[in-house]
Amino acid sequence: APVPAAPHPGQAMADALSALTNLGYGPSEAATAVAEAQAREPAAPMPALIRAALRLLAPKD
């Protein structure tokens, strides 16, 4: 059986950004966090981008 193609990295970033804004983060802060997460791991799939961005957005004590 053919293996499905991996999603385009830009699509993973767009999906991660959408997920974060749906969670209530502002578009600007979500975009910054997703961009930083993707810069750290350029080939990361969407779930990993979301987790990394959430860690970046977590309150720091």
Side-chain angles (χ1 to χ4, degrees):
V3 176
H8 187 274
Q11 186 63 46
M13 188 171 178
D15 290 346
L17 180 58
S18 175
L20 292 175
T21 56
N22 286 334
L23 286 172
Y25 291 99
S28 177
E29 69 180 335
T32 300
V34 170
E36 187 174 334
Q38 188 173 44
R40 291 179 181 190
E41 289 188 62
M46 185 257 309
L49 281 178
I50 293 171
R51 284 191 300 273
L54 285 170
R55 282 191 293 274
L56 292 167
L57 291 167
K60 290 145 182 82
D61 294 330

